Amino acid sequence: MFAWLARWLSQPPRPIPRALWCSTIERYPFLRVLGEQEKARLKTLCEAFLASKEFSAAGGLVLNDAICVAIAAQGCLPILELGLAAYRDWVGIVVYPDEFIVTRSEMDDAGVVHEYADVLSGEAWAGGPLLISWHDAAMASADYNVVIHEFAHKLDMLNGEADGIPELPEGLSRQAWLQDFIPAYSDFCARVDGGETTRIDPYASEAPEEFFAVSSECFFGAPDILAAEYPALYRLLVRYYRQDPLARQQLASDQTSRTCNAGICAGS
């Protein structure tokens, strides 16, 4: 029952070198906007995360500290306020150099099994490892983040099969979740089905669990888009993740403006 805890305690976290941490933070805009105290707490969380998980490489990739820290930093952002226990039911992270192929099998109505190859940039296995393409993880941007997407699936799976309803914290009921989540999902599906070009990845219309994962990507990477298109959903995710990336983004922008106005920016 407490195997994951024993594993964590048996491997004391090692400090992430300052230079590596700073370069990781600077590489991703959604991490740069964190406040200094948040960055410090994220670093501590990442160190504990790295001590509790097993990274392995596939497809000829050679793992290094920069890859592991970059994935850890992105993956731990969603649990900055939830804590490492939110990732307690899995251990392995398999990193591929690029997109990878997973063989699927489906049985049709006649009972015939069909196999096909699925090309993926990431996948979260229930009760098992998380698979990530390093190429995609490295190119994380405001509107695309395969790490946050797959880690959100792991949060969704914490209370059973992925269905778009993660394990909810005290004070946030299932009814309250569905009240804001379902209308947003239904509206988005209708927009995609109607042929609209959406600012949010249309893949979110595939299923409720994909809507949650893509919305989580948007929540941390492009909070202004999610808040503008689905304000109730944005507020719901603020309650769930206990973070407000839009306020964080605006604060960072204000601080940059004040610095520029003070004549400190390069070239002033």
Side-chain angles (χ1 to χ4, degrees):
M1 179 177 177
F2 298 104
W4 65 273
L5 180 58
R7 176 179 176 75
W8 182 9
L9 295 178
S10 68
Q11 298 189 30
R14 291 184 302 158
I16 298 172
R18 177 177 175 78
L20 175 57
W21 180 250
C22 289
S23 64
T24 301
I25 291 293
E26 286 303 309
R27 181 173 189 168
Y28 301 105
F30 50 89
L31 296 179
R32 281 204 304 269
V33 297
L34 292 170
E36 291 307 311
Q37 291 186 348
E38 289 178 316
K39 290 174 184 174
R41 289 195 294 114
L42 181 63
K43 182 174 182 289
T44 299
L45 184 60
C46 286
E47 291 165 348
F49 175 86
L50 290 167
S52 68
K53 304 301 180 189
E54 285 183 354
F55 279 75
S56 58
L61 177 73
V62 177
L63 276 177
N64 57 41
D65 289 348
I67 291 174
C68 295
V69 170
I71 291 174
Q74 294 178 64
C76 285
L77 178 59
I79 62 163
L80 183 60
E81 303 298 337
L82 301 179
L84 190 57
Y87 292 156
R88 63 182 177 269
D89 66 341
W90 56 282
V91 173
I93 300 173
V94 182
V95 189
Y96 288 79
D98 210 325
E99 291 182 328
F100 50 92
I101 297 174
V102 173
T103 301
R104 311 282 196 194
S105 61
E106 285 186 357
M107 181 180 294
D108 62 22
D109 294 338
V112 178
V113 176
H114 302 271
E115 290 194 348
Y116 63 96
D118 212 355
V119 180
L120 305 172
S121 58
E123 185 167 59
W125 291 358
L130 190 150
L131 283 56
I132 291 288
S133 155
W134 170 237
H135 172 77
D136 290 85
M139 61 181 281
S141 60
D143 57 356
Y144 179 69
N145 193 306
V146 68
V147 176
I148 289 180
H149 183 105
E150 299 304 334
F151 277 60
H153 279 319
K154 280 297 189 180
L155 292 173
D156 195 353
M157 294 172 180
L158 194 57
N159 59 349
E161 291 186 12
D163 58 1
I165 310 172
E167 183 176 82
L168 301 176
E170 186 176 352
L172 180 55
S173 68
R174 180 184 177 89
Q175 180 180 357
W177 181 272
L178 294 175
Q179 182 177 323
D180 290 331
F181 185 84
I182 295 300
Y185 174 59
S186 299
D187 178 76
F188 187 76
C189 289
R191 292 169 60 193
V192 172
D193 290 344
E196 180 181 339
T197 300
T198 58
R199 298 173 73 189
I200 298 172
D201 188 347
Y203 183 66
S205 67
E206 289 291 312
E209 58 268 28
E210 298 302 342
F211 188 66
F212 171 64
V214 172
S215 294
S216 295
E217 289 182 70
C218 222
F219 179 74
F220 288 104
D224 52 333
I225 293 176
L226 188 64
E229 299 212 354
Y230 295 108
L233 175 62
Y234 180 83
R235 291 192 296 269
L236 180 68
L237 293 181
V238 167
R239 294 179 63 189
Y240 170 67
Y241 284 114
R242 304 173 198 170
Q243 300 183 56
D244 190 342
L246 182 58
R248 179 188 289 151
Q249 189 180 77
Q250 292 171 338
L251 178 61
S253 178
D254 290 344
Q255 290 174 338
T256 299
S257 295
R258 286 197 295 271
T259 300
C260 287
N261 291 335
I264 300 176
C265 283
S268 58

